[in-house]
Amino acid sequence: VLLTACSDFMSPVKETPEPTEYTYNYWLLEKTYLYEDELDKLDPDGDSVQTLYRALDDPYTRYVPPSKSKQAEKQMTSSIIEGDIGLEYMYDPEAEHILFVYRVYPKSPAAKAGVPRYGNIISINGHEIKTIDDMAAYDSIMAYSKKITLKIADDSTTRKYKMEKEDIYAPTVFVDTVGEMAYIQIREFKPTTVDQDSGSLGELRDYLDSTRDHKGVRVLDLRNNPGGHVSQCVGMADLFVKKGTLSTRRWRAFDPNGKAVHRGDSREAKPGDAGEGGKFLILVNRNSASCAEIFTAAVTELAPIPVVGETTFGKGIGQTTWKTMEGGLAIITNLEFITPKNGSYNKTGIVPDYPCDEFESIYDCVEDAAKSEFGRKKSTKGRYPGIIIPRGTTAIGAYIESEEKTNPSRIH
């Protein structure tokens, strides 16, 4: 009895091999990857993690190596821009000096210096900006110089603004007017933005709380919004919905014993938020994806708020990110989302109630939808915006011009 109880006299049990970066990622995929019928494509004895992931068909399932993981984490969770002055510009080719200030981010070096919105940029660090060829010089100076001096003409005043780059958090919610209608542009759904406590949700909530008595029609503009964190877009949808199941998600995971399991949960709306009962439209296009579609499905099915624009991208699946043994990131599709009315938009998109071609006059189309829904008279005013000034951290205003006269904004 003593002999059999003493390990010194027993043949040692063969040790389980230490997991490698490859075997750990193989295990994660085997336990959590949503499309189980593809798992037999995985090689259990390989050595290249990137090759392991490339064996799967899903384009969103991927591996980020340790050398790039910190930067990827920042991009996924925050709107931080490293080494920036917090200014976006656009250009007008008909102007003598073609660049003008499109936005100034709160708390940024540009905001602290007092850079005026819509001012024409005359020069950067002494280099005059007049033609389209000067834009390359502008971008180069902005990229490689830590200290920036902009000469800007605003109304009848021209002055210099001196700034030094900082790491800044960009806003993700912007409020503008076009004609007489307010446009609330939601660019992304991030947990950490210029509102470092509540992220995109905090930005939108601050605006809605500060304009609770607003009587006019407002547009929730999600065009080109690629998505973000589920907690953010579901929480933001709740701001407009009194009751109901905002979103249901089903996913593959593993239990404490390492066994693959299927799970699901839902998020219920809570009443009392400032967006409930207001006059809203949702504006989307073919690049409105993922979390933007979760938001749109919840709000349009439960509020209900009509959708204007183009059929959305059609990404009704989601990814979970794990930090791997060597510090890489395993980003694996393991979630699928179900709408409040038990539907799915994956690979089909959300079809708008009022279809509009993005390349036609989108603002006319929005006004037609507003007239149909709310009996609103079409605006006869020009399309240059007035400015709505909400309390809190949202950036203010936008310059809206025809497609022929403006290029997509650049951020600096």
Side-chain angles (χ1 to χ4, degrees), residues 341-382:
K341 292 184 178 180
N342 204 35
S344 173
Y345 47 81
N346 193 45
K347 296 184 179 180
T348 60
I350 297 172
V351 179
D353 302 291
Y354 297 91
C356 299
D357 190 320
E358 180 76 7
F359 297 101
E360 294 177 359
S361 180
I362 192 71
Y363 302 108
D364 285 339
C365 189
V366 170
E367 291 221 25
D368 288 340
K371 181 180 179 182
S372 177
E373 288 290 327
F374 307 109
R376 183 181 182 279
K377 292 182 179 180
K378 201 163 185 178
S379 174
T380 58
K381 293 190 176 181

Side-chain angles (χ1 to χ4, degrees), residues 31-32 36 251-256 258-264 334:
K31 301 299 182 184
T32 67
E36 296 176 63
W251 72 94
R252 289 190 77 221
F254 48 86
D255 66 15
K259 180 182 177 181
V261 294
H262 290 86
R263 292 178 176 158
N334 68 326

Side-chain angles (χ1 to χ4, degrees), residues 20-24 26 42-52:
T20 64
E21 185 76 349
Y22 185 92
T23 58
Y24 179 68
Y26 177 88
L42 301 178
D43 181 1
D45 301 315
D47 55 11
S48 168
V49 180
Q50 294 289 11
T51 299
L52 177 72

Side-chain angles (χ1 to χ4, degrees), residues 205-224:
R205 186 174 53 212
D206 282 351
Y207 165 71
L208 292 173
D209 285 345
S210 67
T211 57
R212 189 179 285 267
D213 297 328
H214 193 283
K215 303 301 182 185
V217 180
R218 288 178 282 183
V219 180
L220 301 168
D221 186 353
L222 278 76
R223 288 174 298 169
N224 303 314

